[in-house]
Amino acid sequence: MSWAAWWFDGVLVGSLIVLAWGSVMARDPFTGIVRYVIFGLLAALTWARLWAPDLALAEAAIGAGLTGALLLSTLGRMGLSRSSGHAGEALVPVPPRLTGRKPLPLGFPELVLTLALAAGVAIGAAVMHLGAARSPGLGTAVVALLPQSGIESEVAAVLLDFRAYDTLLEMAVLLTAVLAIWCLGVIRFRRSPWRVDPVLASLARALVPFLLLIAAWLLQAGLHGPGGAFQAGAILGAAGVLWTLADRRALRLGERRSARVGLVLGLGTFAIGAFLPTLVGRPLLTWAPGSAPAWAWGIELAIAVSVGLSLTALFMGGLAEVPHIDEEEP
Amino acid sequence: MVTWVAAALIAAGGAFFTAGLVGLLRFPDVYARIHAVTKADTLGLGLVALGVALVQPSPVHSARVLLVWILAALASGAAGHLLCRAAWLEEVEAGKRDTS
């Protein structure tokens, strides 16, 4: 590996450590969230450097994008946004050690940065050393079993065949989370939710079709290589968030029967596919020989739709109590 | 030859990124900083994208890179506007160095 790559990786890992520390120790929540989002972006870059494009995509879309949006919307609802000047008085308890701390001695941040960079280079070197030992992990086992599954992509084969049980339960967790949030109450708005900036609305109109296209592409790509249902679902979720921000009619999503069907589609399809074999006396979650790719395709599509809708619903943070459009303010 | 032109474009893009960064750190108020970042970075990304597009193996790849720039430019312009609007609605005054 060239010196430039070493340098880049060292800075990357060092920045990750500094950002992780800064995100947890930030005095006001807004700063912490912003640092967390940057941390997510750099983590995605790290996965890309480790030749794990699937993880890089998921981290960028969910870790940096949607989690950041969720945290910021939560912060906004807590009335804690920094610009309103209430950052200190708090629903979030700030440890007294942090609020009353003395200014750091000169050179302290530089020292932390240097130590973090050194730690980053050391960890990088250790990982490279491990890599040199050529630990095969489960990769070779998966590749060996791939023909038995019939699914082309290793990642898709693992998620939907070899460990389908985990994926099934992950879908159940996601659905449960949405239902739990819906049980907690309705969203209320301080200001009229109908005032949407026209620039934002235009941006949403321009970007949402692209996001849908990218999601569809990722979905079909997932059967052959990097991509797949969760990445496509995350992009759909991003489209949903943008739509929610730009067109407040989206807040009525939870009332729509089609949306509710879409929310359970992933878990439903998966569960039906999982239990069908038991009717003919085969164990749970065993696809009939040769049918795995077809199931994988159907379930991936269903999961993508459900993940996208779930993430949108999570961002909304509840069933909305919005006035009807005819009650709109002039 | 094409490689050199591409390298020059990418370097120029990097210079604009650096200028945007300096603006973000040094400009006095939130409006000026947003102005610096959105304008300089969009142009910087455009130059880098143009440089990268020149050395792609096929026109399809080049078109993809340029599409990334167009989408980023749209998003950056709109984000800059929304941030400024939010600051304006919160009555942040121009010309004063804020604490953030």
Side-chain angles (χ1 to χ4, degrees):
Chain A
M1 209 163 57
S2 73
W3 279 107
W6 268 101
W7 187 81
F8 184 83
D9 289 349
V11 171
L12 193 59
V13 178
S15 312
L16 278 178
I17 296 171
V18 170
L19 281 166
W21 174 264
S23 168
V24 175
M25 299 307 283
R27 280 181 70 180
D28 80 301
F30 180 78
T31 311
I33 294 171
V34 170
R35 286 177 185 161
Y36 176 76
V37 169
I38 304 170
F39 173 85
L41 283 173
L42 292 186
L45 201 53
T46 311
W47 286 121
R49 290 284 302 154
L50 292 169
W51 297 104
D54 288 272
L55 280 169
L57 279 169
E59 179 64 41
I62 299 178
L66 280 162
T67 316
L70 281 178
L71 289 169
L72 283 176
S73 90
T74 310
L75 187 66
R77 278 190 207 138
M78 287 161 72
L80 269 173
S81 70
R82 189 165 61 159
S83 48
S84 64
H86 300 303
E89 28 186 2
L91 294 164
V92 175
V94 181
R97 194 166 60 79
L98 292 181
T99 49
R101 74 177 171 194
K102 281 178 269 178
L104 293 168
L106 204 64
F108 185 76
E110 286 82 358
L111 181 68
V112 172
L113 192 68
T114 314
L115 286 177
L117 280 178
V121 171
I123 293 171
V127 169
M128 286 306 143
H129 181 72
L130 286 177
R134 296 249 175 263
S135 161
L138 286 172
T140 47
V142 168
V143 173
L145 285 171
L146 216 48
Q148 208 172 314
S149 160
I151 300 172
E152 271 179 60
S153 150
E154 291 97 335
V155 177
V158 169
L159 287 180
L160 295 169
D161 199 352
F162 301 151
R163 46 147 271 189
Y165 192 48
D166 300 64
T167 312
L168 176 66
L169 293 185
E170 278 162 18
M171 291 311 294
V173 167
L174 198 56
L175 182 62
T176 314
V178 172
L179 294 180
I181 285 176
W182 278 3
C183 291
L184 286 175
V186 294
I187 327 164
R188 292 197 176 77
F189 295 93
R190 272 170 294 175
R191 279 177 286 190
S192 164
W194 299 111
R195 278 188 218 144
V196 168
D197 189 273
V199 174
L200 180 60
S202 317
L203 181 72
R205 273 198 295 277
L207 287 188
V208 167
F210 272 109
L211 290 171
L212 296 180
L213 183 68
I214 293 166
W217 187 85
L218 278 173
L219 190 63
Q220 65 82 28
L223 294 174
H224 318 288
F230 285 91
Q231 285 81 358
I235 300 290
L236 285 180
V241 168
L242 198 57
W243 181 45
T244 311
L245 291 172
D247 182 353
R248 293 308 190 147
R249 278 173 297 177
L251 288 168
R252 312 191 79 89
L253 186 76
E255 296 170 12
R256 293 182 198 218
R257 187 177 298 265
S258 54
R260 294 186 171 207
V261 170
L263 272 178
V264 295
L265 195 64
L267 183 62
T269 315
F270 212 148
I272 290 170
F275 283 102
L276 271 183
T278 62
L279 296 179
V280 291
R282 282 188 292 120
L284 194 70
L285 277 167
T286 46
W287 314 122
S291 73
W295 274 111
W297 173 236
I299 291 174
E300 290 242 316
L301 180 62
I303 287 181
V305 170
S306 286
V307 168
L309 282 168
S310 303
L311 293 173
T312 310
L314 289 176
F315 176 74
M316 289 176 189
L319 286 168
E321 188 177 74
V322 280
H324 283 275
I325 299 170
D326 46 50
E327 297 164 28
E328 185 178 344
E329 285 181 25
Chain B
M1 181 61 204
V2 175
T3 319
W4 282 104
V5 174
L9 283 170
I10 293 171
F16 273 99
F17 268 112
T18 313
L21 183 69
V22 172
L24 175 70
L25 292 173
R26 301 295 302 171
F27 276 3
D29 64 31
V30 65
Y31 305 104
R33 287 187 206 167
I34 293 169
H35 180 86
V37 172
T38 49
K39 287 220 169 120
D41 281 14
T42 307
L43 183 55
L45 184 65
L47 289 170
V48 170
L50 204 58
V52 173
L54 279 180
V55 290
Q56 291 301 305
S58 79
V60 178
H61 289 81
S62 308
R64 267 187 222 163
V65 174
L66 292 176
L67 183 65
V68 167
W69 174 61
I70 292 170
L71 291 176
L74 278 177
S76 148
H81 163 79
L82 290 171
L83 282 170
C84 278
R85 185 171 173 269
W88 183 254
L89 290 177
E90 296 282 348
E91 292 168 0
V92 177
E93 275 182 59
K96 279 193 181 168
R97 181 169 278 278
D98 60 356
T99 49
S100 56

